[in-house]
């Protein structure tokens, strides 16, 4: 074994796929790239996520208490990275990057047409926001694009490196 710098630990345990989080505040829709999230409950589906106070989306999420988590496939990975490399303070990311906002059913934040799944969410817990920027979201409506039959997700490994979802392994499990 060899020492690993503590700053590199996140590269080993980075959670699930890279997603896009949309918000809408004062009539302005925005989107950010996010990879710090995790499921915390099956039913109702609860997702914990980190949205930094430095992110333009932070104020919108904290104020409106709603968002959409859009899950992109590898085919739009370049757009996902472009979203993460600019700020909604400076640019309309949907128009500039070429993502299509679609109306959601239960929240003001838009769905993203190019993503294979979209999860409409409401903030249900904020006690850890001040200390850790951690929001807990309840998924209140979920959408899936039936045209995208076998989407492969991307997973951030740090410093512009991503792994692409690959083979599926099915083993017996008592979990859902």
């Amino acid at each position: 074994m060899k020492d690993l710098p503590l700053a590199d630990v996140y590269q080993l345990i980075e959670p699930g796929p890279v997603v896009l989080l949309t918000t809408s505040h004062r009539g302005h829709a925005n989107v950010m790239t996010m990879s710090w999230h995790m499921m915390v409950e099956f039913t109702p589906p609860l997702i914990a996520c980190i949205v930094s106070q430095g992110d333009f989306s932070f104020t919108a999420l904290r104020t409106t208490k709603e968002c959409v988590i859009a899950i992109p496939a590898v085919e739009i990975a370049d757009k996902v990275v472009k979203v993460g490399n600019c700020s909604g303070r400076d640019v309309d990311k949907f128009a500039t990057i070429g993502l299509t906002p679609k109306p959601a059913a239960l929240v003001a934040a838009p769905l993203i047409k190019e993503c294979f799944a979209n999860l409409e969410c409401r903030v249900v817990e904020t006690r850890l926001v001040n200390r850790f920027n951690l929001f807990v979201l309840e998924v209140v409506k979920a959408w899936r694009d039936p045209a995208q039959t076998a989407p492969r997700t991307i997973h951030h490994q740090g410093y512009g490196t991503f792994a692409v979802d690959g083979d599926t392994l099915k083993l017996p499990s008592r979990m859902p």
Side-chain angles (χ1 to χ4, degrees):
M1 293 293 210
K2 181 182 171 190
D3 282 344
L4 177 71
L6 296 179
D8 294 345
V9 169
Y10 84 94
Q11 294 175 292
L12 300 175
I13 61 168
E14 186 73 29
V18 176
V19 299
L20 298 171
L21 182 136
T22 71
T23 54
S24 182
H25 185 233
R26 297 182 178 162
H28 177 75
N30 190 41
V31 58
M32 65 172 274
T33 301
M34 180 173 71
S35 61
W36 290 24
H37 54 80
M38 66 179 175
M39 292 298 303
V40 293
E41 184 59 76
F42 294 115
T43 307
L46 298 178
I47 300 169
C49 67
I50 303 291
V51 178
S52 171
Q53 290 181 30
D55 291 328
F56 187 61
S57 297
F58 179 87
T59 299
L61 183 58
R62 188 158 204 177
T63 303
T64 66
K65 295 187 173 18
E66 59 183 33
C67 65
V68 168
I69 294 177
I71 307 170
V74 66
E75 287 77 13
I76 65 166
D78 60 329
K79 291 182 180 188
V80 172
V81 171
K82 287 177 184 174
V83 166
N85 284 331
C86 63
S87 173
R89 285 182 188 89
D90 308 319
V91 65
D92 176 346
K93 293 185 190 184
F94 285 98
T96 302
I97 295 168
L99 293 172
T100 311
K102 303 295 280 184
L106 302 176
V107 300
L111 309 176
I112 298 177
K113 179 182 177 187
E114 291 78 10
C115 290
F116 72 86
N118 284 268
L119 311 174
E120 297 184 36
C121 301
R122 291 208 172 98
V123 175
V124 293
E125 181 60 63
T126 59
R127 282 183 281 190
L128 296 174
V129 170
N130 289 340
R131 187 165 179 194
F132 297 112
N133 298 318
L134 188 137
F135 292 84
V136 177
L137 312 172
E138 180 179 347
V139 179
V140 295
K141 178 108 176 117
W143 303 89
R144 178 143 184 147
D145 180 356
Q148 296 190 49
T149 56
R152 293 172 49 217
T153 55
I154 60 173
H155 301 259
H156 188 241
Q157 294 183 320
Y159 304 104
T161 302
F162 298 84
V164 178
D165 193 26
D167 296 333
T168 300
L169 179 63
K170 184 120 174 112
L171 301 170
S173 174
R174 294 188 316 215
M175 300 300 292

